[in-house]
Amino acid sequence: MTALTLSTAAIPGLKADAIVIGVAKGTASEAGGLVVAPGAEAVDKAYDGRLTGVLETLGASGAEGEVTKLPAPAGFKTPLLVAVGLGTQPEKDAAPDPEALRKAAGVAARALTGSKKAAFALPLTDAADAGAVAEGVLLGAYSFDAYKNKDTPKTKGDKGEGGKDKKKDAKAPLAEAVLLCDKSRDKAYKEAVERATTVSEELNRARDLINTPPNDLDPEAFAAVAQAAAKEHGIKVQVLDEKALAKGGHGGILGVGAGSASGPRLVKLSYTSAKAKKHLAFVGKGITYDSGGISLKPAGHNETMKCDMSGAAAVFAAVVAAARLGLEVNVTGWLALAENMPSGSATRPGDVLRMYSGKTVEVLNTDAEGRLVLADALWAASEEKPDAIVDVATLTGAMMLALGNRTFGIMANDDAFRTAVHEAAEEVGEPAWPMPLPEHLRKGMDSATADIANMGERMGGGLVAGLFLREFVGEGITWAHLDIAGPAFNEGSPFGYTPKGGTGSAVRTLVRLAEQTAAGDLG
């Protein structure tokens, strides 16, 4: 991952491949003209105060995501200037929006792919801004190339020792980023950058897992990754294999994994703090590949189904981040891992599964499998009586129809907790929206054969799934459900600090909830 440091170095004498500055659209009172953001004063001075004019000549408007490159002023030791748009500037003297800084830093980091070192002179008014820029850089510079041939063509005329051609990787992520500010030695700034580094490293680990092909990441392999991380960071881990799941009566997880040659797993990760007063449980859907089972997905809907374990990846990353940050809260992560495949041993539509809770479920559609593995894990989490449970899942296409590809839905059995989760998500820059759990939709899951069916009314399908999950939360336990089907995997072009492929959606929300709980600010 990109190396990150804080520095008070003066821009003109700084040796780097590029200097990144911020520009914005002016407020209405400034007639919407281009404005150079604080942090770039030395650059503007070197242009004799004409930097905005030069940038406007090159077509810069300050729009969010816009990048304008130009030669650095004479006398600078850095050859390139990168002006990145921050969007519309807040009113005069107002603090910059941390999410705008995060996105701008991410865009710039992507634009500097192949560079060895860049200095970021973006506006930092406090430690939170420093953390936002650090996150933006580290998340924006992410790349997944584990399956790429590392041997790149030789660059003509690029001579190494003895006059031999050297190989040059123009696609390598930005190697080093320097955040310029006048408080580089301030404890709060250092801590903000350290936190951002930890969270970003774990979020990028979740992205790696999501992007890994399913032939290399089956439930057993995912469990092994979790075990290795747990050992490294002092987290207690328990893995239930097929025999243990059968002995314990985990009919939901076993039923979903029955058609695969790769057996299912239930992984429990327990981070405990001696000073903890609260206990959070995170539950993640971990379908390492989802073919739909016997209810096979149609052509065109299978290609990205390696991402159906994004919820488990988010939970895994959040628990490890909590441990690395030393948060004073107990956090237990439950990874419900299975591969949903069609075969002679697969669960059929019409089969009835006996869940870990003892309830029976009539399976009407084997492609509604995520709720089945989550149901067993939710009940297991409930047995420990945590203060709250949050589950995360790429659960329904209906949520994507409702909220699009960049926003996840939040459902809960407690309105105040749903609001708290929503506010935490918005605070860290993860678009989310509170959704209801209409009681009238529950009747559609009534079954003449079992206690409940795994399908209900087609309209409001995302809400129906939430109602199903609620049935498996222990009585009196506060619970929220995050349906991240839309933002978990980006099939389009990169934007902001979000890459193509796995995004790590919900990791930062879960970490923030853990931090708030540790601080006593959440319930």
Side-chain angles (χ1 to χ4, degrees), residues 206-228:
R207 288 173 169 177
D208 283 347
L209 286 168
I210 297 164
N211 289 326
T212 299
N215 57 316
D216 280 347
L217 191 76
D218 61 13
E220 183 179 1
F222 196 149
V225 171
Q227 287 175 307

Side-chain angles (χ1 to χ4, degrees), residues 256-280:
V256 173
S260 174
S262 302
R265 297 288 187 273
L266 178 61
V267 179
K268 177 185 177 184
L269 297 165
S270 302
Y271 161 67
T272 58
S273 167
K275 297 181 179 180
K277 295 181 180 179
K278 296 283 187 178
H279 176 200
L280 289 178

Side-chain angles (χ1 to χ4, degrees), residues 14 127 328 454 458 486 519:
L14 187 67
E328 295 178 4
N454 78 327
R458 180 171 176 270

Side-chain angles (χ1 to χ4, degrees), residues 193-205:
V193 171
E194 289 171 358
R195 176 198 177 277
T197 301
T198 296
V199 173
S200 298
E201 285 177 349
E202 294 311 320
L203 192 152
N204 283 339
R205 193 207 301 251

Side-chain angles (χ1 to χ4, degrees), residues 333-505:
W334 298 85
L335 315 181
L337 309 176
E339 186 177 54
N340 188 25
M341 297 291 284
S343 74
S345 61
T347 295
R348 297 153 292 230
D351 282 355
V352 173
L353 304 178
R354 185 171 295 278
M355 313 297 282
Y356 181 57
S357 68
K359 285 186 178 181
T360 55
V361 176
E362 182 181 11
V363 180
L364 299 180
N365 187 327
T366 63
D367 196 24
E369 85 299 329
R371 65 199 70 183
L372 298 176
V373 300
L374 285 173
D376 278 356
L378 283 168
W379 193 257
S382 296
E383 289 182 326
E384 296 190 337
K385 304 295 183 183
D387 294 287
I389 298 175
V390 181
D391 77 71
V392 188
T394 48
L395 207 59
T396 66
M399 196 57 57
M400 297 174 68
L401 291 173
L403 298 178
N405 293 325
R406 298 191 184 184
T407 305
F408 62 74
I410 307 171
M411 285 153 266
N413 61 3
D414 180 275
D415 289 347
F417 188 58
R418 182 183 62 188
T419 298
V421 174
H422 182 212
E423 290 175 349
E426 293 292 329
E427 180 182 340
V428 298
E430 294 196 310
W433 197 251
M435 303 293 284
L437 289 173
E439 294 297 335
H440 71 273
L441 291 176
R442 170 60 182 84
K443 184 173 179 57
M445 290 184 285
D446 286 348
S447 167
T449 307
D451 295 325
I452 190 172
N454 78 327
M455 292 291 289
E457 294 183 29
R458 180 171 176 270
M459 299 301 176
L463 311 182
V464 170
L467 287 165
F468 180 91
L469 295 178
R470 191 181 67 178
E471 297 277 324
F472 298 89
V473 176
E475 186 175 353
I477 298 176
T478 301
W479 157 80
H481 160 56
L482 312 186
D483 190 336
I484 62 170
F489 197 84
N490 176 29
E491 295 186 62
S493 299
F495 59 92
Y497 49 86
T498 301
K500 186 179 179 66
T503 67
S505 177

Side-chain angles (χ1 to χ4, degrees), residues 209-259:
L209 286 168
I210 297 164
N211 289 326
T212 299
N215 57 316
D216 280 347
L217 191 76
D218 61 13
E220 183 179 1
F222 196 149
V225 171
Q227 287 175 307
K231 182 178 181 180
E232 180 182 357
H233 298 292
I235 300 168
K236 185 178 180 181
V237 62
Q238 179 185 15
V239 178
L240 301 184
D241 60 12
E242 301 99 315
K243 290 183 179 179
L245 290 169
K247 183 178 180 179
H250 294 81
I253 297 176
L254 286 168
V256 173

Side-chain angles (χ1 to χ4, degrees), residues 17-398:
D17 295 317
I19 297 170
V20 177
I21 64 169
V23 292
K25 288 184 175 183
T27 62
S29 60
E30 295 167 322
L34 189 68
V35 176
V36 176
E41 291 83 359
V43 179
D44 191 32
K45 182 179 180 181
Y47 277 99
D48 296 325
R50 296 179 296 174
L51 179 57
T52 55
V54 173
L55 289 169
E56 286 175 336
T57 299
L58 294 173
S61 67
E64 182 182 296
E66 179 185 79
V67 173
T68 306
K69 295 182 179 180
L70 65 160
F76 276 44
K77 293 186 177 181
T78 301
L80 181 67
L81 182 66
V82 178
V84 60
L86 296 168
T88 302
Q89 178 182 269
E91 289 302 318
K92 191 172 179 62
D93 299 326
D97 176 14
E99 179 62 3
L101 291 174
R102 196 178 285 116
K103 289 179 178 177
V107 169
R110 282 194 293 105
L112 290 167
T113 295
S115 299
K116 291 184 178 180
K117 182 178 179 180
F120 287 73
L122 295 172
L124 305 181
T125 59
D126 56 24
D129 288 345
V133 171
E135 270 190 8
V137 170
L138 297 175
L139 298 179
Y142 171 83
S143 68
F144 182 74
D145 59 2
Y147 293 83
K148 295 282 190 179
N149 190 333
K150 301 298 193 304
D151 293 331
T152 57
K154 295 176 181 178
T155 305
K156 186 177 181 180
D158 190 5
K159 303 294 183 180
E161 289 184 65
K164 296 180 180 179
D165 287 338
K166 294 189 299 181
K167 292 180 179 179
K168 183 178 180 181
D169 188 356
K171 294 184 179 181
L174 174 64
E176 181 183 354
V178 179
L179 271 58
L180 300 177
C181 68
D182 56 5
K183 295 184 178 180
S184 63
R185 295 181 177 83
D186 185 279
K187 181 180 178 182
Y189 278 67
K190 288 181 178 180
E191 289 178 348
V193 171
E194 289 171 358
R195 176 198 177 277
T197 301
T198 296
V199 173
S200 298
E201 285 177 349
E202 294 311 320
L203 192 152
N204 283 339
R205 193 207 301 251
R207 288 173 169 177
D208 283 347
L209 286 168
I210 297 164
N211 289 326
T212 299
N215 57 316
D216 280 347
L217 191 76
D218 61 13
E220 183 179 1
F222 196 149
V225 171
Q227 287 175 307
K231 182 178 181 180
E232 180 182 357
H233 298 292
I235 300 168
K236 185 178 180 181
V237 62
Q238 179 185 15
V239 178
L240 301 184
D241 60 12
E242 301 99 315
K243 290 183 179 179
L245 290 169
K247 183 178 180 179
H250 294 81
I253 297 176
L254 286 168
V256 173
S260 174
S262 302
R265 297 288 187 273
L266 178 61
V267 179
K268 177 185 177 184
L269 297 165
S270 302
Y271 161 67
T272 58
S273 167
K275 297 181 179 180
K277 295 181 180 179
K278 296 283 187 178
H279 176 200
L280 289 178
F282 297 150
V283 177
K285 172 187 173 183
I287 305 300
T288 57
Y289 183 74
D290 182 19
S291 70
I294 296 297
S295 305
L296 195 65
K297 292 180 183 292
H301 291 74
N302 288 293
E303 291 78 3
T304 61
M305 282 300 101
K306 64 181 181 181
C307 79
D308 214 18
M309 37 60 69
S310 295
V315 166
F316 165 58
V319 175
V320 176
R324 291 182 60 187
L325 293 171
L327 301 183
E328 295 178 4
V329 57
N330 293 336
V331 183
T332 304
W334 298 85
L335 315 181
L337 309 176
E339 186 177 54
N340 188 25
M341 297 291 284
S343 74
S345 61
T347 295
R348 297 153 292 230
D351 282 355
V352 173
L353 304 178
R354 185 171 295 278
M355 313 297 282
Y356 181 57
S357 68
K359 285 186 178 181
T360 55
V361 176
E362 182 181 11
V363 180
L364 299 180
N365 187 327
T366 63
D367 196 24
E369 85 299 329
R371 65 199 70 183
L372 298 176
V373 300
L374 285 173
D376 278 356
L378 283 168
W379 193 257
S382 296
E383 289 182 326
E384 296 190 337
K385 304 295 183 183
D387 294 287
I389 298 175
V390 181
D391 77 71
V392 188
T394 48
L395 207 59
T396 66

